[in-house]
Amino acid sequence: MSDEKKTDIVPSDVTELEIVDVREGMFGVGGTGDTSGYGGLTRPIVFPGASQKPYGGWFDEVSNQLATVLPDSQAIERVVVDRGEITFFIRRSGILDVVTHLRNDPKLRFEFCSGVSGVHYPHETGRELHAVYHLLSMTHNRRIRLEVTAPDNDPHIPSVVGIYPTADWHERETFDFFGIVFDGHPALTRILMPDDWPGHPQRKDYPLGGVPVEYKGATIPPPDQRRSYN
């Protein structure tokens, strides 16, 4: 492994900010559901925008090498450097091409996918569902993040299991909780919730409370029915 230090990386200036939502109250609860006493609190949900080169340190090496192996590709939407970390936003049609080069190219060699997770941004129209991939290069001692988006009405993203077998259960969990369909997955079934469970419990439009949680072989009542306070 190399002895590159994280301190060598100086994030570039962010040229724009992306406001995806405005949250009201402490927890973003609408109507009369906010019991925190902060119902009048209003704050925007802001994402860092695209960064401009040079990104600093080895970030530029990775970005430049990807541009070399994908010379005519439009797979990379933008690159964001924030808080000492780099994220490549990848168009879903290009994710398999990108991860293949990231894994196989000797100057990149991101051999390990340590996780795939989902995020739901209901107000980001046309990009409501995000799949986030964390990649590690053991050869070069580097970590990067990939992010792919899909709309609610077409929640399909190609599966990377053929490139990174470790993504198998991570993609199943993301499918289970967020409803992202990973096309080409060898067995895309729920991993925690029952097979016939309605909806996807980690989406922000899923109801909070009052829903009994059912596990295979057991049923847990909703919190307001577990204990009597009379």
Side-chain angles (χ1 to χ4, degrees):
M1 288 187 175
S2 69
D3 57 356
E4 294 177 82
K5 297 180 180 178
K6 196 73 170 183
T7 53
D8 294 334
I9 299 167
V10 180
S12 62
D13 293 333
V14 174
T15 58
E16 59 180 292
L17 294 176
E18 181 182 356
I19 300 177
V20 298
D21 192 14
V22 176
R23 175 171 291 181
E24 298 180 356
M26 179 67 75
F27 307 110
V29 178
T32 59
D34 191 342
T35 59
S36 66
Y38 290 87
L41 180 67
T42 300
R43 64 184 179 89
I45 306 301
V46 179
F47 288 167
S51 301
Q52 302 299 316
K53 289 185 176 181
Y55 305 133
W58 59 262
F59 289 171
D60 290 291
E61 296 177 30
V62 172
S63 178
N64 292 340
Q65 185 60 19
L66 269 178
T68 299
V69 298
L70 301 166
D72 301 319
S73 175
Q74 299 297 315
I76 300 176
E77 290 185 23
R78 67 181 187 271
V79 180
V80 175
V81 177
D82 184 54
R83 304 181 188 186
E85 299 179 348
I86 188 166
T87 302
F88 293 88
F89 283 78
I90 310 297
R91 292 182 173 86
R92 56 179 172 170
S93 60
I95 182 62
L96 293 183
D97 199 18
V98 170
V99 296
T100 298
H101 285 293
L102 284 169
R103 186 194 66 176
N104 295 342
D105 189 277
K107 293 184 179 179
L108 297 170
R109 293 298 291 154
F110 286 89
E111 307 99 330
F112 180 54
C113 177
S114 61
V116 182
S117 54
V119 193
H120 181 216
Y121 298 107
H123 298 285
E124 196 175 2
T125 304
R127 301 166 60 91
E128 293 89 352
L129 297 170
H130 290 225
V132 183
Y133 308 76
H134 302 273
L135 304 184
L136 166 66
S137 170
M138 293 177 282
T139 298
H140 302 294
N141 193 23
R142 299 169 174 174
R143 293 179 184 270
I144 64 173
R145 182 187 297 109
L146 308 181
E147 194 155 339
V148 180
T149 68
D152 256 342
N153 59 6
D154 183 23
H156 292 264
I157 295 175
S159 170
V160 302
V161 170
I163 310 300
Y164 293 115
T166 54
D168 186 339
W169 283 17
H170 296 276
E171 288 185 351
R172 286 181 60 195
E173 183 178 38
T174 304
F175 163 71
D176 193 353
F177 288 134
F178 293 92
I180 298 176
V181 179
F182 293 95
D183 295 326
H185 189 285
L188 192 63
T189 57
R190 290 188 182 268
I191 195 168
L192 290 175
M193 306 304 291
D195 294 337
D196 59 350
W197 185 263
H200 304 280
Q202 288 190 354
R203 289 173 55 102
K204 290 185 174 66
D205 55 7
Y206 196 79
L208 293 175
V211 178
V213 179
E214 178 185 345
Y215 299 91
K216 294 182 179 180
T219 299
I220 307 299
D224 53 352
Q225 297 178 16
R226 293 181 194 171
R227 180 182 301 171
S228 174
Y229 293 92
N230 295 332

